[in-house]
Amino acid sequence: MLTTNPFDDDKLREECGIFGVSGMDGAAAAVALGLHALQHRGQEAAGITSFDGHQFHTHRAMGHVAGNFDRDEVIRALHGNVACGHVRYSTTGETALRNVQPLYAELASGGFAIAHNGNISNAMRLRRDLIRRGAIFQSTSDTEVIIHLVATSQFRTLIDRFIDALKQVEGAYSLIVMTPEGMIACRDPLGIRPLVMGKLDDTIVFASETVALDVVGADYVRDVEPGELVIVKGGEISSHKPFAPVGPRPCIFEYVYFSRPDSISNDRSVYSVRKAIGAQLAIEMPVEADLVVPVPDSGVPAAIGYAQQSGIPFELGIIRSHYVGRTFIQPGDKVRHLGVKLKHNANRELIKGKRVVLIDDSIVRGTTSLKIVQMMREAGAAEVHMRIASPPTRHSCFYGVDTPERAKLLAAKLDVGGMTDFIHADSLAFISIDGLYKALGEAHRADIHPKYCDACFTGEYPTTLTDQDENGPPDDQFALLHERVG
Ligand code: SF4
C-alpha cells in the first residue's frame, strides 16, 4: 500500500506551473524542458499542446514530466512552432486525465487551448449559470469555465470574447492561451500568481518562473504585468490592459516557499529575499544556540541568513534524501515510524549535545515540525529551538494553492505557546508580518496599502470569494472547492 510521506504532506503546495513558446521549430521540446524546471509547482500530471498552423496536437499524462515527455515519439507527435504546457498538483479524487491541462476546445473561431495557474474563486457560481444555459462540461476544473464564457460571449472578435470572459471571473489566474491567431499570456488584475516573459532570438517564451527561461536559454524580458494581456501574433507582440487598474497583490508565499530560490520574481532574487527573511528573523527572534540547522531543502536560504545575522554557525544537521518521492510503500506497523527517515535523517555526530536552532519556511499542520524536533532529540540535541521564516499560517488559500482546511492548520487551532508544546520544542517563534515586508524592502504593512496577497497569514483576502460567501464560510466549502481546483 502506498502512503504519503508526512514531510511532503505538511507543506502548502503550489498547484500549477505553465510554460509557452511561440516561434520556434519543435516548440514542444522546449516546452518539455521548461516544464522540467517547473516540476516543483505540480508533480501529479503534465500536458503539452502544440499548433502546426493547421492542427492542434495534445499529449497529457499523469505523473512527472520525466517519463512522459522525454520520449522521442511523444515530442515528435507534437508538431508546430507554437506550444504551451502545464504541470499540476491535485488533491485526491482530482487526478483524472480529463482535468489535466492544457484544456482544449473547438470554438466557432477555431481551436482554443488554455493552461492556467491559479484558482477562480467564483467558478462554481459561473459553472451553475452556464449549465443552466445548456453548457456541457468535460472536466471538473475551474479553468473550463473560461472556455465556456469565451464560447458564449456576444462579442465578435476572439480577443474581445476572451476579455469579456475574464471580466466575469474572480480570483487568481495566470494564463497561456493558444488559438490559430496566436498566443495570449495574461495575469489577473491583482497579479496574484506569477508569469514572466522571455526572449530567445525571435522566439517569445512565457513561464511561471524565470528558472524555466534559464533552462531553454531564453533571456528574461519582464514580468507580464497584473491585468495585462500580451498577444504574440506572427512574431509581433502587443500589450493590452483592459481592466481598471488596481494595486497589485502578488502572492507573498512565492518568496517564502513556492518559487525556486534561483528564480527572480518582480525583479527580486527569491534566494536573496529568503536570506533577508532569515536575517530579519534573527533580529526579531534571537536565541542562544550552538548551531543553526535548516530543515532541507526549503529552510536553507533563511537559515543562512539567520546564521549570518546571529553569528551562530550554520550546519547541515539534517540530511535529505533526494531519491524519495511523495509516496512510498507503507511498511508494517513495527517499522512504520521509520518511514519519515527515508527522506530526512539527523547528522548525529553534529547534533549530539548541541543547542540547535532549526529553521523552516512555515508550519502547516505541524506534523513535520513534531517529527523533526523528535529527530533532533533522538540524535542527542541538548535544546531544540524552532524559528519559522513566515508568520503563522492561520487561513486557507483560495488562489491555486493546496492548503488544508482551516481546522487542520496548527496556527488556527493553537497560540504560539500551544504550538510549542505540540511540537515539543524548547521554544518556537515566527517572523512578524511587518518583518516579512521589511525583508522584501517594503515599509511596515500597517503603513501601506498591502503590496502582496498575505491572506493565509492575515485573513485579508484581496478578492471577493463569491463561491465561499454564497455557500457558507470558506472552511465549510473546502471540500467543494477542491472538487474543482485546476
Ligand atoms: S492566500 Fe497565501 S498562499 Fe494564497 S495567494 Fe495569498 S499569500 Fe499566496
Side-chain angles (χ1 to χ4, degrees):
M1 175 188 169
L2 284 176
T3 188
T4 303
N5 187 321
F7 285 119
D8 278 324
D9 199 30
D10 194 23
K11 290 283 180 198
L12 296 193
R13 208 186 308 270
E14 176 60 62
E15 289 184 332
C16 303
I18 58 176
F19 192 83
V21 168
S22 178
M24 178 190 276
D25 286 341
V31 172
L33 285 175
L35 294 183
H36 266 286
L38 297 174
Q39 188 75 83
H40 60 288
R41 297 182 77 86
Q43 292 160 38
E44 294 200 352
I48 297 178
T49 297
S50 67
F51 180 60
D52 64 11
H54 304 284
Q55 264 190 307
F56 286 82
H57 309 271
T58 295
H59 185 80
R60 302 184 297 169
M62 307 306 299
H64 284 191
V65 180
N68 283 305
F69 290 96
D70 51 6
R71 293 180 4 237
D72 261 5
E73 68 273 20
V74 170
I75 294 296
R76 268 204 307 269
L78 294 166
H79 307 286
N81 67 359
V82 185
C84 70
H86 189 270
V87 287
R88 85 189 285 265
Y89 168 76
S90 68
T91 49
T92 312
E94 269 305 287
T95 49
L97 200 54
R98 64 192 178 139
N99 284 337
V100 178
Q101 297 192 20
L103 297 183
Y104 177 77
E106 289 284 344
L107 307 185
S109 52
F112 186 94
I114 183 166
H116 173 200
N117 176 203
N119 189 63
I120 296 167
S121 54
N122 64 339
M124 284 199 302
R125 200 190 67 191
L126 290 169
R127 187 181 173 104
R128 251 191 332 257
D129 293 348
L130 285 158
I131 288 171
R132 268 192 216 111
R133 283 156 52 196
I136 299 168
F137 279 78
Q138 304 293 325
S139 74
T140 55
S141 162
D142 57 324
T143 312
E144 194 181 347
V145 161
I146 297 174
I147 298 178
H148 286 279
L149 291 174
V150 174
T152 54
S153 170
Q154 299 302 305
F155 284 83
R156 201 175 56 80
T157 69
L158 181 66
I159 293 300
D160 287 342
R161 294 162 83 98
F162 184 54
I163 292 168
D164 181 39
L166 295 184
K167 285 187 171 171
Q168 296 173 65
V169 305
E170 297 166 358
Y173 54 84
S174 284
L175 303 171
I176 298 176
V177 167
M178 280 165 52
T179 77
E181 291 180 35
M183 178 171 275
I184 310 167
C186 71
R187 277 172 94 189
D188 63 78
L190 294 167
I192 296 177
R193 302 258 69 89
L195 190 62
V196 297
M197 181 163 78
K199 207 167 187 298
L200 172 64
D201 302 323
D202 293 333
T203 301
I204 302 298
V205 183
F206 297 103
S208 294
E209 292 182 39
T210 58
V211 284
L213 302 181
D214 297 341
V215 85
V216 297
D219 292 326
Y220 167 75
V221 174
R222 63 178 179 86
D223 284 31
V224 175
E225 289 177 29
E228 182 186 19
L229 272 73
V230 178
I231 302 174
V232 186
K233 206 171 171 179
E236 297 294 314
I237 303 171
S238 57
S239 165
H240 306 255
K241 294 191 177 161
F243 305 103
V246 288
R249 301 285 296 275
C251 168
I252 206 164
F253 226 113
E254 291 284 348
Y255 291 102
V256 171
Y257 174 67
F258 300 140
S259 290
R260 259 177 49 169
D262 43 343
S263 276
I264 308 289
S265 180
N266 294 309
D267 286 329
R268 289 195 176 94
S269 146
V270 172
Y271 179 78
S272 301
V273 170
R274 284 186 193 160
K275 270 178 64 181
I277 292 172
Q280 181 63 26
L281 184 58
I283 293 166
E284 290 185 3
M285 299 295 172
V287 62
E288 292 272 321
D290 304 308
L291 300 177
V292 172
V293 170
V295 177
D297 292 328
S298 53
V300 171
I304 293 171
Y306 194 100
Q308 287 176 350
Q309 178 66 39
S310 64
I312 303 169
F314 170 95
E315 292 287 1
L316 294 177
I318 301 168
I319 304 301
R320 178 183 163 182
S321 163
H322 289 267
Y323 304 101
V324 182
R326 280 198 61 233
T327 55
F328 55 85
I329 301 295
Q330 172 74 62
D333 278 350
K334 238 177 162 179
V335 290
R336 182 170 298 163
H337 70 285
L338 298 178
V340 295
K341 292 184 177 169
L342 276 177
K343 190 145 190 175
H344 294 80
N345 197 24
N347 197 348
R348 283 179 166 271
E349 278 313 294
L350 199 68
I351 299 300
K352 208 168 160 189
K354 301 287 189 350
R355 296 168 301 169
V356 173
V357 51
L358 288 171
I359 309 288
D360 205 353
D361 58 88
S362 57
I363 291 185
V364 181
R365 290 180 178 85
T367 47
T368 298
S369 307
L370 174 63
K371 303 275 184 203
I372 293 273
V373 171
Q374 206 176 338
M375 189 182 283
M376 292 294 99
R377 294 212 187 279
E378 283 170 12
E383 293 173 19
V384 185
H385 303 274
M386 191 124 200
R387 295 293 178 270
I388 304 298
S390 61
T393 305
R394 294 200 170 97
H395 304 271
S396 301
C397 175
F398 299 97
Y399 302 126
V401 169
D402 182 49
T403 28
E405 60 197 277
R406 193 163 179 227
K408 290 190 177 144
L409 294 171
L410 193 65
K413 295 187 285 191
L414 299 172
D415 61 14
V416 175
M419 293 173 81
T420 311
D421 293 343
F422 178 85
I423 66 169
H424 296 160
D426 291 291
S427 75
L428 166 69
F430 297 78
I431 194 170
S432 67
I433 189 75
D434 279 336
L436 186 54
Y437 272 71
K438 194 170 179 192
L440 280 153
E442 306 288 355
H444 279 200
R445 183 185 191 275
D447 299 337
I448 52 170
H449 170 80
K451 287 194 179 167
Y452 297 91
C453 174
D454 50 26
C456 45
F457 309 128
T458 62
E460 292 174 28
Y461 294 94
T463 71
T464 46
L465 298 173
T466 300
D467 291 343
Q468 288 70 40
D469 296 343
E470 275 184 5
N471 294 288
D475 300 321
D476 290 354
Q477 284 304 300
F478 207 79
L480 273 174
L481 182 79
H482 275 251
E483 286 279 298
R484 58 165 182 71
V485 156

